[in-house]
């Protein structure tokens, strides 16, 4: 069982009525993450991720891993350092050079701390190739730290010099395969963001220095966002700018945060880096490639930016550091006699059994009043807060249940006996995501099997037709 007093969470306490003089704090998510002891700045644009935020990021990573399993993506790890020679060959060293963090080894060879790994993946495919068309399509990915020498890092994790990112790369024999896989992966993106209850919009965008034929940004509306999206009130179509391209109506402009970007790259990298595949009955041709990114630390901060108030964090429920916090009575109170630490641990264990895994934490700071701890818990945004308060001395005991995750705000606590409390928590757990994901992939599997069967039937009919 976890205890809040044992968590490394260096809070920043600001006296009531005080005005912040630190102009580096420029947005809501940055302020809340700092004050709640979730991150700590080390220098401009660089942050230590503290345990509770790390736990939330781990949960987000696990969600992404589960999603990518459904498209048969395989995880790997690439070096953070990439040879500058590769970026010279692709032409991107001059295009992006000002944002690259460069290092030089003792042999005077130049390397860069990679912000992305298209060149490195393409070189890998060239090194092991040419690949047979039978090996394709191939999806490989990593989750790792990336680096960008931001001119003016700001907004905390929203624009940092070091950030955590998913980069997924698709390798295909032809454009048709790339387009099909692109639809599958972007479908997974949509279900991921839906599971987090975030209204992330897929918006067509220019490919920029990345190149390619197809490019979509994944934009999350938020006041602190440095991008903008144009939302049509008539047909709900979302674009980057201007009147609605679908119905011609005037649009409403919203600030937004880019939390992901997806591309069909074509042969942009494979041609210059000599990565090829061997089609049936043909000479080797350049691989067709695609890539998919999600800024994980940016998505974490962006979700807080979108969901939270100015004074309290609100998490997407699946990635809250802990799902439930149990607050016991103040030491020495009359409630303390019936709900001492041992009894509070017993209640917490029953809630843990209901939730599964280690999702419950006990606020064992019994020297503080329940009201003070409840205020701090609400500020941290635990989805469920269970209080052993005045009614816990009733026969049978009743417990106060507060919901604080976004979309489930309640005007006051529910007062429940233990069994109904446990049942309420079980029933309200988010299960929709897994059901949607599984249903989607069952239908996709059945559709692909139907197409394969149809192709086989056509082949048999044609064979009979041409048989003498």
């Amino acid at each position: 069982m976890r205890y809040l007093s044992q968590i490394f969470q260096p809070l920043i306490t600001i006296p009531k009525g005080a005005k912040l003089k630190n102009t580096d704090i420029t947005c809501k998510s940055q302020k809340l993450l700092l004050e709640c002891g979730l991150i700590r700045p080390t220098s401009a644009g660089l942050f230590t991720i503290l345990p509770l935020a790390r736990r939330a990021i781990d949960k987000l990573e696990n969600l992404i891993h589960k999603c990518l399993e459904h498209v048969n993506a395989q995880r790997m790890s690439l070096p953070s350092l990439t040879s500058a020679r590769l970026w010279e060959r692709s032409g991107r060293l001059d295009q992006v050079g000002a944002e690259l963090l460069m290092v030089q080894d003792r042999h005077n060879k130049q390397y860069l701390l990679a912000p992305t790994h298209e060149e490195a993946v393409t070189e890998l495919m060239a090194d092991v190739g040419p690949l047979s068309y039978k090996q394709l399509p191939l999806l490989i990915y990593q989750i790792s730290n990336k680096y960008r020498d931001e001119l003016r890092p700001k907004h905390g994790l929203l624009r940092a010099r070091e950030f955590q990112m998913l980069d997924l790369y698709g390798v295909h024999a032809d454009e048709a395969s790339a387009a099909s896989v692109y639809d599958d992966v972007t479908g997974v993106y949509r279900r991921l963001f839906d599971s987090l209850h975030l209204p992330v919009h897929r918006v067509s965008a220019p490919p920029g220095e990345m190149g390619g034929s197809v490019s979509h940004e994944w934009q999350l509306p938020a006041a602190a966002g440095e991008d903008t999206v144009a939302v049509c009130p008539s047909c709900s179509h979302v674009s980057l700018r201007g009147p609605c391209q679908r119905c011609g109506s005037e649009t409403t402009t919203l600030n937004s945060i880019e939390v992901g970007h997806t591309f069909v790259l074509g042969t942009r990298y494979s041609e210059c880096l000599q990565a090829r595949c061997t089609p049936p009955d043909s000479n080797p041709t350049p691989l067709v490639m695609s890539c998919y990114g999600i800024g994980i630390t940016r998505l974490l901060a962006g979700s807080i930016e979108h969901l939270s108030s100015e004074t309290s964090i609100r998490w997407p429920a699946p990635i809250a550091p802990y799902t439930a916090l149990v607050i016991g009575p103040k030491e020495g109170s009359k409630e303390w006699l019936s709900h001492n630490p041992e009894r509070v641990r017993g209640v917490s264990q029953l809630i843990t059994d209901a939730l599964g895994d280690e999702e419950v934490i006990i606020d064992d700071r019994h020297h503080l009043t329940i009201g003070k701890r409840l205020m701090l818990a609400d500020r941290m945004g635990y989805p469920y807060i269970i209080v052993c308060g005045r009614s816990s001395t009733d026969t049978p005991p009743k417990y106060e249940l507060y919901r604080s995750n976004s979309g489930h705000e309640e005007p006051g606590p529910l007062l429940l006996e233990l069994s109904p409390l446990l049942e309420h928590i079980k029933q309200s757990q988010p299960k929709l995501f897994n059901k949607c994901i599984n249903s989607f992939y069952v239908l996709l599997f059945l559709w692909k099997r139907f197409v394969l069967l149809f192709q086989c039937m056509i082949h048999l009919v044609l064979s009979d037709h041409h048989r003498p």
Side-chain angles (χ1 to χ4, degrees), residues 45 95 232 333:
Q95 291 177 333
C232 177
S333 66

Side-chain angles (χ1 to χ4, degrees), residues 305-325:
E305 195 70 43
H306 177 83
L307 297 172
S308 303
S309 70
E310 292 293 334
T311 57
S312 298
I313 293 177
R314 292 297 178 261
W315 303 91
I319 64 169
Y322 286 92
T323 301
L325 175 78

Side-chain angles (χ1 to χ4, degrees), residues 2-11 36-40 48-53 361:
R2 282 285 190 179
Y3 297 95
L4 198 55
S5 65
Q6 298 172 353
I7 298 293
F8 183 57
Q9 186 185 9
L11 302 176
C36 291
L38 298 169
I39 63 173
R40 200 81 172 182
T48 297
I49 306 295
L50 296 171
L52 290 176
I361 188 166

Side-chain angles (χ1 to χ4, degrees), residues 387-398:
V387 176
C388 306
R390 185 176 302 166
S391 298
S392 65
T393 61
D394 293 352
T395 305
K398 296 185 182 66

Side-chain angles (χ1 to χ4, degrees), residues 59 313-318 320-327 351 354-355 359-363 373-374 377-378 380-387 400-406 408 410 414 416 420-431:
K59 287 186 170 187
I313 293 177
R314 292 297 178 261
W315 303 91
Y322 286 92
T323 301
L325 175 78
V326 179
I327 298 176
I351 298 170
L355 289 171
E359 287 296 325
V360 180
I361 188 166
I362 298 174
D363 190 339
R373 284 178 284 162
L374 184 58
D378 179 72
M380 258 298 296
Y382 295 99
Y384 298 94
I385 303 169
I386 297 96
V387 176
E400 300 168 23
L401 174 64
Y402 297 81
R403 296 286 305 273
S404 63
N405 53 307
S406 182
H408 293 93
E410 294 173 351
L414 296 175
L416 299 169
L421 171 71
L422 298 175
E423 188 61 28
H424 182 88
I425 290 174
K426 284 181 184 178
Q427 293 298 324
S428 56
Q429 282 302 287
K431 298 176 182 176

